[in-house]
Amino acid sequence: MRTPLVAGNWKMNGSRASVKELINGVVDGAKAINGVEIAVCPPFIFIADVAAATQGSNVAVGSQDVSTELKGAFTGETSIEMIKDFGCKYAIVGHSERRTLYGESDEIVAEKFTVVKNAGVIPVFCIGETLQEREQGVTEEVCARQIDAVFAAQGDNAFEGSVIAYEPVWAIGTGKTASPEQAQAVHAFIRAHIAKRNADIAEKVQILYGGSMNPANARELMGQTDIDGGLIGGASLKADDFLAVCAAGQ
Ligand code: PEP
């Protein structure tokens, strides 16, 4: 039995004041939610404030990205040890915005995955196809290729203690959601693909859905056999909406 995880990806949004209000609302509302793991991933600069506000609560903190490098002359980068030092339990790697806007290849994402995992932080590994790829019928091929880059870097047990987020690129921030059946089909494929390497890990790994998940569609999506929660963008920026998504996972 997998515990659902609902993680908010705040992307590059908020001010110091608005983030304080948002996290206080989430922490407060999360007290009433049981049986669901909850996390928020703020912009780096707000992680310290958010970590302080979540202390002793059932809301964990994650980063939205990480450097492939461990320390040194890499201007603008943030290392996994810094992320860990500020109490992050999770680090998102391979978000489609990083892949498409910042040119992160499957290999770079796999390197980041390795850095996160080796530090004892939980990678939230994002994969998913573009609209064009879906229309070409290569969704499974794309997801398999993205996953296989991590297997190549980390071996058969790569996904032990990690989280996968299936996020069809065409559904991110567009208001278009994969139907529960479409999403379930890909989630089942992902789990089966991992099972070819290690069935026990495949059974345990949390596979989140991401792509315009909101309070109206969360329950049905998370009700699917292989959907173990959500990675939430837009709807994580309002405490009430985010908490409603979290509650739908109960
Ligand atoms: C995301 O960026 O991870 C995401 C799922 O965004 P949204 O919920 O806004 O589609």
Side-chain angles (χ1 to χ4, degrees):
M1 187 63 193
R2 296 176 295 270
T3 305
L5 165 65
V6 177
N9 172 13
W10 293 353
K11 309 195 186 187
M12 196 172 71
N13 290 296
S15 63
R16 198 167 189 193
S18 74
V19 158
K20 215 162 247 181
E21 198 183 321
L22 175 57
I23 193 57
N24 287 341
V26 170
V27 165
D28 205 38
K31 288 177 191 153
I33 296 174
N34 296 301
V36 179
E37 292 169 355
I38 302 172
V40 294
C41 302
F44 279 119
I45 198 154
F46 299 135
I47 284 179
D49 283 353
V50 171
T54 54
Q55 232 171 25
S57 79
N58 58 339
V59 180
V61 184
S63 67
Q64 297 176 13
D65 188 25
V66 64
S67 178
T68 52
E69 306 301 328
L70 296 182
K71 68 181 284 193
F74 301 99
T75 302
E77 291 288 275
T78 304
S79 77
I80 191 62
E81 286 303 326
M82 296 169 185
I83 288 166
K84 202 170 153 183
D85 200 16
F86 279 81
C88 286
K89 180 176 177 184
Y90 299 97
I92 296 174
V93 295
H95 190 278
S96 71
E97 287 150 18
R98 300 295 319 170
R99 290 179 189 263
T100 58
L101 302 175
Y102 299 97
E104 293 189 8
S105 63
D106 292 341
E107 289 67 34
I108 290 176
V109 174
E111 259 186 75
K112 291 188 173 190
F113 182 101
T114 298
V115 157
V116 173
K117 196 147 178 246
N118 288 351
V121 175
I122 300 172
V124 179
F125 171 64
C126 301
I127 58 173
E129 81 288 1
T130 62
L131 183 57
Q132 197 187 19
E133 289 163 339
R134 173 158 284 264
E135 286 170 354
Q136 287 168 349
V138 294
T139 296
E140 293 185 355
E141 217 171 298
V142 169
C143 291
R145 190 200 70 220
Q146 293 169 333
I147 291 170
D148 288 347
V150 172
F151 277 130
Q154 282 276 293
D156 287 352
N157 297 341
F159 292 99
E160 186 168 25
S162 74
V163 173
I164 297 173
Y166 167 59
E167 300 205 299
V169 179
W170 49 273
I172 295 179
T174 58
K176 287 185 197 153
T177 316
S179 69
E181 297 73 25
Q182 279 175 323
Q184 165 58 27
V186 183
H187 280 236
F189 168 79
I190 293 166
R191 202 177 300 286
H193 192 71
I194 291 166
K196 286 183 219 154
R197 305 291 191 116
N198 187 315
D200 185 47
I201 292 171
E203 193 47 40
K204 288 187 183 135
V205 70
Q206 289 161 311
I207 308 178
L208 316 184
Y209 169 79
S212 300
M213 196 189 263
N214 59 45
N217 59 30
R219 190 170 295 280
E220 210 188 341
L221 281 160
M222 287 195 261
Q224 304 298 309
T225 316
D226 289 293
I227 302 185
D228 310 312
L231 182 56
I232 319 298
S236 70
L237 296 172
K238 285 188 185 151
D240 288 351
D241 285 353
F242 182 63
L243 290 163
V245 174
C246 295
Q250 287 185 116

